[in-house]
Amino acid sequence: MDISYILIPILIGIVFGIAGYFLGKKSASNRDHSLASSLQSELDACKKHTKSLTTRISSLEADLVQKKTKSIKKQSIATNSTPTFLFDEGIAKTVFGKKIKENDLKIVEGIGPKIEGLFNAAGITTWKDLSESSTEKLQAILDGGGENYAIHNPSTWGKQALLAYEGKWEELKAWKAGLRGGKE
């Protein structure tokens, strides 16, 4: 009996077995890449949706603060007394341990010199102006400043500015202590 009749089918089997193994591995790799790509797309969509929801929440919070402010103003008008808040630099300095200038927007956690400049250019120059501005307006100003500003979240800035305007320094300091970059 010739041994080649046995060896040739065995060799062909081995060659096809090896080829099948590598083709299967390549196919699995393509499936894994496709799955990873699909998961990345879903993750990106979730991140975009989360950012949209965060912006909406900020907007609703700002609207709530604004409505409370308007309610206070309506009550003041109804009683024929307009609240007048006088800035007391001494009290502000005592609470914060540093000199505070009236209408310095940088007292608000999350606002630095560049953002203050953007707001000043847009006509927001006082704590009162800032407290009366909607979150959408503030975000639009930030968005207009470019990508470096658009990442900020101004949802608490109006409330912080209102506390500064009303001279509620202790309350402002306590609230700021729990914020990170102006966010709760």
Side-chain angles (χ1 to χ4, degrees):
M1 183 161 153
D2 190 8
I3 199 155
S4 64
Y5 290 110
I6 297 173
L7 258 145
I8 290 177
I10 292 173
L11 287 174
I12 290 174
I14 291 172
V15 168
F16 279 108
I18 292 171
Y21 170 77
F22 284 113
L23 286 174
K25 190 168 178 121
K26 183 177 181 187
S27 176
S29 173
N30 287 342
R31 278 192 309 266
D32 290 347
H33 179 70
S34 175
L35 179 61
S37 177
S38 173
L39 290 174
Q40 184 63 46
S41 295
E42 284 186 47
L43 179 61
D44 291 342
C46 286
K47 285 180 180 178
K48 185 176 180 180
H49 187 65
T50 300
K51 184 174 181 179
S52 170
L53 290 174
T54 302
T55 301
R56 181 69 180 138
I57 288 169
S58 299
S59 168
L60 291 171
E61 287 172 340
D63 288 346
L64 182 61
V65 169
Q66 202 170 25
K67 286 180 182 182
K68 286 180 181 177
T69 304
K70 286 180 182 178
S71 174
I72 291 169
K73 288 178 185 175
K74 285 180 183 177
Q75 289 172 357
S76 297
I77 291 169
T79 60
N80 290 328
S81 65
T82 305
T84 304
F85 301 105
L86 299 175
F87 175 67
D88 187 329
E89 183 179 328
I91 295 173
K93 183 177 181 178
T94 300
V95 172
F96 282 96
K98 65 180 183 178
K99 184 177 180 179
I100 305 292
K101 290 195 283 184
E102 185 172 10
N103 293 315
D104 181 0
L105 301 183
K106 295 183 298 296
I107 191 71
V108 171
E109 178 69 24
I111 296 181
K114 292 181 180 181
I115 292 176
E116 181 181 45
L118 281 177
F119 287 163
N120 287 171
I124 300 172
T125 58
T126 67
W127 294 323
K128 187 172 190 256
D129 295 340
L130 184 58
S131 72
E132 293 174 346
S133 299
S134 70
T135 300
E136 290 89 5
K137 179 179 180 179
L138 299 177
Q139 190 65 56
I141 294 168
L142 292 171
D143 291 346
E147 188 176 296
N148 290 337
Y149 301 101
I151 62 171
H152 294 278
N153 180 348
S155 64
T156 66
W157 296 356
K159 173 78 173 174
Q160 289 183 66
L162 182 62
L163 292 174
Y165 172 66
E166 292 176 347
K168 296 180 179 177
W169 302 111
E170 292 287 346
E171 191 175 338
L172 176 59
K173 183 178 179 181
W175 194 26
K176 283 178 58 168
L179 298 176
R180 294 193 70 123
K183 296 181 243 175
E184 292 186 278

